[in-house]
């Protein structure tokens, strides 16, 4: 039987939404192992002088819980 856990993680990037999601996976994988999927819950941008300067994502990171024997 497989048991999964979900955590909410925020990420950002100055490049794109896709890059922001990649940053979430990169940083989350430093402390969370066995990541199975990432669901993008919300997307936002910050704007300065009528230009997009930062992309932000709110994600749900799903990972398997490792069994100890």
């Amino acid at each position: 039987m497989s048991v999964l856990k979900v955590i909410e993680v925020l990420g950002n990037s100055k490049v794109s939404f896709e890059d922001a999601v990649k940053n979430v996976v990169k940083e989350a994988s430093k402390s969370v192992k066995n990541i199975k999927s990432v669901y993008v819950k919300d997307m936002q941008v910050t704007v300065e002088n009528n230009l997009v300067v930062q992309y932000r994502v709110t994600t749900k990171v799903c990972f398997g819980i490792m069994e100890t024997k």
Side-chain angles (χ1 to χ4, degrees):
M1 181 171 121
S2 179
V3 178
L4 303 174
K5 184 170 184 171
V6 177
I7 59 172
E8 192 166 270
V9 181
L10 309 177
N12 61 26
S13 169
K14 292 182 178 182
V15 178
S16 67
F17 286 118
E18 182 179 355
D19 195 51
V21 174
K22 287 179 181 180
N23 289 339
V24 164
V25 174
K26 178 181 174 186
E27 293 303 315
S29 68
K30 290 179 181 177
S31 60
V32 174
K33 303 302 175 207
N34 205 19
I35 294 175
K36 300 291 185 187
S37 64
V38 176
Y39 166 74
V40 178
K41 181 178 169 184
D42 189 36
M43 299 174 12
Q44 303 173 1
V45 296
T46 55
V47 178
E48 292 178 9
N49 297 319
N50 297 320
L51 297 173
V52 174
V53 294
Q54 189 173 70
Y55 300 85
R56 296 179 178 172
V57 293
T58 304
T59 65
K60 292 189 178 260
V61 177
C62 180
F63 58 97
I65 297 176
M66 295 182 204
E67 295 182 26
T68 57
K69 293 184 179 186

